Amino acid sequence: AQKVTQAQTEISVVEKEDVTLDCVYETRDTTYYLFWYKQPPSGELVFLIRRNSFDEQNEISGRYSWNFQKSTSSFNFTITASQVVDSAVYFCALSEAGGNTGKLIFGQGTTLQVKP
Amino acid sequence: GAGVSQTPSNKVTEKGKYVELRCDPISGHTALYWYRQSLGQGPEFLIYFQGTGAADDSGLPNDRFFAVRPEGSVSTLKIQRTERGDSAVYLCASSVSSASSYNEQFFGPGTRLTVL
């Protein structure tokens, strides 16, 4: 069965600290896609990144980086030098290729609070 | 260009009433998704349209929920005999195509439904 687990419900850091958001997934498909979305207080989900199951290269985009490890079924997200504007709820999501629908299975989300 | 829009932004209704929630996807996007997000949870998949047809409605909780997309663009989610447990934020998303589960989904701001 497909499942995404974000064990950290809430994280609070002080500005400029680095923070890592954990994501563990379960799937029986060999081809799947992983996503991270940000949901700021305004409520609209904002796409951050996607990876496919065949590409385990880590990715860096500015202060954001992602670590994908199939061996541990994890797709963790690190924010370097956090800023107050990073405060939001972050969701990890899984899409299995087998169903060919593209539907997303979301984790419970991690609320990140960055204090000045 | 215009993003995904949803109307109304807020809907308050009484238990037992019928409601309709509207979604206008990004122009040209053939895939459309409805999700439901309860407080403190990640979005949960409800239904997926490819063009005019509902290709996957496995997430609809029961037969009180129904959705249509008659012309392959605007979609309406309909809820009959509303119950207090239906209270949630209903999110709509669209993507270019679901031929690949790799496609990014663009989310609307959601409709907050409150059933009294």
Side-chain angles (χ1 to χ4, degrees):
Chain A
Q2 64 268 36
K3 185 180 180 182
V4 175
T5 300
Q6 295 178 255
Q8 304 150 308
T9 304
E10 291 185 25
I11 300 176
S12 182
V13 299
V14 176
E15 207 170 19
K16 297 184 183 176
E17 284 186 19
D18 298 348
V19 58
T20 295
L21 309 182
D22 297 333
C23 173
V24 174
Y25 62 91
E26 296 176 32
T27 178
R28 292 181 181 152
D29 274 25
T30 55
T31 303
Y32 53 89
Y33 306 88
L34 297 166
F35 300 77
W36 275 93
Y37 279 85
K38 175 182 180 180
Q39 189 172 44
S42 61
E44 198 157 332
L45 282 159
V46 177
F47 166 82
L48 295 178
I49 191 174
R50 61 177 172 250
R51 303 299 283 175
N52 73 59
S53 53
F54 299 108
D55 184 0
E56 285 193 75
Q57 281 192 346
N58 293 330
E59 183 156 338
I60 298 174
S61 176
R63 296 185 297 108
Y64 295 171
S65 62
W66 292 269
N67 182 276
F68 175 28
Q69 292 195 337
K70 286 180 75 170
S71 61
T72 56
S73 297
S74 65
F75 185 45
N76 297 337
F77 173 30
T78 297
I79 301 175
T80 303
S82 59
Q83 299 176 1
V84 172
V85 293
D86 296 328
S87 297
V89 183
Y90 290 85
F91 291 98
C92 180
L94 164 72
S95 178
E96 295 177 325
N100 203 32
T101 66
K103 70 181 180 186
L104 295 171
I105 313 288
F106 284 88
Q108 306 92 314
T110 297
T111 300
L112 175 64
Q113 183 180 35
V114 182
K115 298 178 181 177
Chain B
V4 178
S5 62
Q6 293 186 245
T7 54
S9 55
N10 280 284
K11 176 71 177 177
V12 180
T13 190
E14 294 180 345
K15 180 173 176 287
K17 299 289 188 183
Y18 168 83
V19 297
E20 289 189 353
L21 312 179
R22 177 188 168 107
C23 171
D24 280 88
I26 293 172
S27 178
H29 281 193
T30 59
L32 185 146
Y33 303 82
W34 283 99
Y35 294 85
R36 178 168 72 173
Q37 186 175 19
S38 300
L39 191 63
Q41 302 295 317
E44 293 179 305
F45 168 78
L46 295 177
I47 187 169
Y48 151 65
F49 287 89
Q50 181 59 245
T52 60
D56 182 354
D57 64 359
S58 62
L60 295 178
N62 50 61
D63 61 6
R64 295 187 298 104
F65 289 74
F66 188 72
V68 295
R69 193 185 186 199
E71 298 178 357
S73 178
V74 170
S75 176
T76 305
L77 179 65
K78 308 180 180 191
I79 310 175
Q80 299 177 324
R81 304 183 303 280
T82 51
E83 299 177 356
R84 293 193 179 91
D86 299 334
S87 296
V89 176
Y90 289 81
L91 297 168
C92 177
S94 70
S95 70
V96 173
S97 168
S98 74
S100 163
S101 298
Y102 197 69
N103 290 312
E104 170 190 353
Q105 292 182 26
F106 295 83
F107 282 81
T111 293
R112 182 175 299 277
L113 175 67
T114 303
V115 181
L116 301 176

